[in-house]
Amino acid sequence: MLRKILTLVIAILFTITGLILLQNALPELSVLIGYDIHSGGPFGYSWIHILFGAVSILVFGWIGWVITPFLIKHIIRFSERVAGLLSMAPSVDIAVTLIGVIIGLVLANLIGAPFSHLPIVGPYIPVVLSVIFALIGAQVALRKSKDILGFITRRRSRRARMAGSRYGKDGEEDDDALLPDLAGTDEFPMPQYTRNKLLDTSVIIDGRIEDVLKTGFLEGYMIVPHFVLDELQQLSDSADSLKRAKGRRGLDLIQKLQQENRQIVIIETSDYDAIPGVDSKLVEMAKDTGSAIVTNDFNLNKVATIQGIAVLNLNDLANALKIVVVPGQELSATLLREGKEHGQAVAYLQDGTMIVVEDGRRFIGKTVRVIVTSVFQTSAGRMIFAKLPAVGA
């Protein structure tokens, strides 16, 4: 329905444009054909005038009707691209940028008004100044967004305190309510949060992001850049069976995430052709959009952190959620198999942490009480060493 309405409107605009062009061209046509087109006829119009008008309506109306589908296609594609870019930008940055553009336009019109009466170039000066000042205002506001937001927050907080919190519950004046609001100052910096998350290839292949999303601990939009999809497609087409399985698992996960979280999972088509490597493109996109990167890649984590980009590492999250044990603590463990050393047995905690039990081989297949002797953190994860309690203990 929207396409039909747009088609009709654009066709009407083309028709009106044709009539206006015809009206402006009539004097030249009169001289060219040696006949006064405006003379006589119904309603003061000659028959040739009416004929030209009908031809103009038909020609320009047909042109508008033919061109409209192509125009609508590109207009919708452009609007979707702009909407995608704006959806990645923090709402605060969009609001601050609009404020900067408005201020720039006001200044441009104030400065350009006196020059608008100059001959020839006068009408164009305000237009040029509007474009320049709008861009300058947007850039300045975006770079100073934190300062502007902090100023607004401090002002609102201070007014709220003065208006509603000056007096305590007992009706007496509360001295603490008169203290200046220090949130957002250098002494008490405001925490910065980002709602948009860029998913890299490793975290998609890993698959745990699906379970984390179900828990609701990640908020905002989950953005999958198109160059990450391209990398997954290359893996799925690889001759190596292991890489091929990883790529297909990643593509299946994205499809599943879109079906289950259609409102928050976004495929971003923007690319950085001049930048080689998916990791470098992710870092650049995170800078441009103010997004955080969700990854399991140790090197990407380090590079992004060095450049001041927020990184959410699922491996760090998993380690933080592991059960805390200390030497001397008593645990219940089901011994499953032999260990590497003589007499050892191996058990696992619910989070997958391995427990090596000294002299536990004879109890394999049974659940016993063990005492933690030491805990080691390795690159592969955490390992717990334990022993059986002394007989009679």
Side-chain angles (χ1 to χ4, degrees), residues 7 14-15 18 24 39 51 54 63 89 92 120 136 148 233-234 237 255 258 265 274 285 304 314 340 382:
T7 301
F14 267 83
T15 302
N24 292 330
S39 62
L51 177 62
I63 293 174
V92 173
I120 303 175
I136 293 175
I148 296 172
Q233 185 177 1
Q234 291 176 5
D237 294 336
Q255 184 178 14
Q258 280 191 307
V265 177
M285 180 176 285
L314 290 192
K340 291 184 178 180
R382 188 175 52 166

Side-chain angles (χ1 to χ4, degrees), residues 44 57 174 200 280 305 312 321 330:
I57 291 174
D174 186 0
D200 88 324
S280 300
T305 302
L312 304 177
L321 295 177
E330 189 171 325

Side-chain angles (χ1 to χ4, degrees), residues 221-235:
Y221 294 107
M222 302 297 118
I223 302 170
V224 181
H226 203 277
F227 48 79
V228 170
L229 281 180
D230 292 340
E231 186 177 32
L232 288 172
Q233 185 177 1
Q234 291 176 5
L235 288 175

Side-chain angles (χ1 to χ4, degrees), residues 323-334 349 355 357 367-375 384-390 392-393:
I323 300 173
V324 178
V325 295
V326 294
Q329 183 176 346
E330 189 171 325
L331 300 173
S332 177
T334 300
L349 294 178
I355 305 175
V357 182
T367 300
V368 297
R369 303 295 296 179
V370 298
I371 300 174
V372 177
T373 57
S374 58
V375 181
I384 298 173
F385 289 89
K387 65 179 181 179
L388 296 170

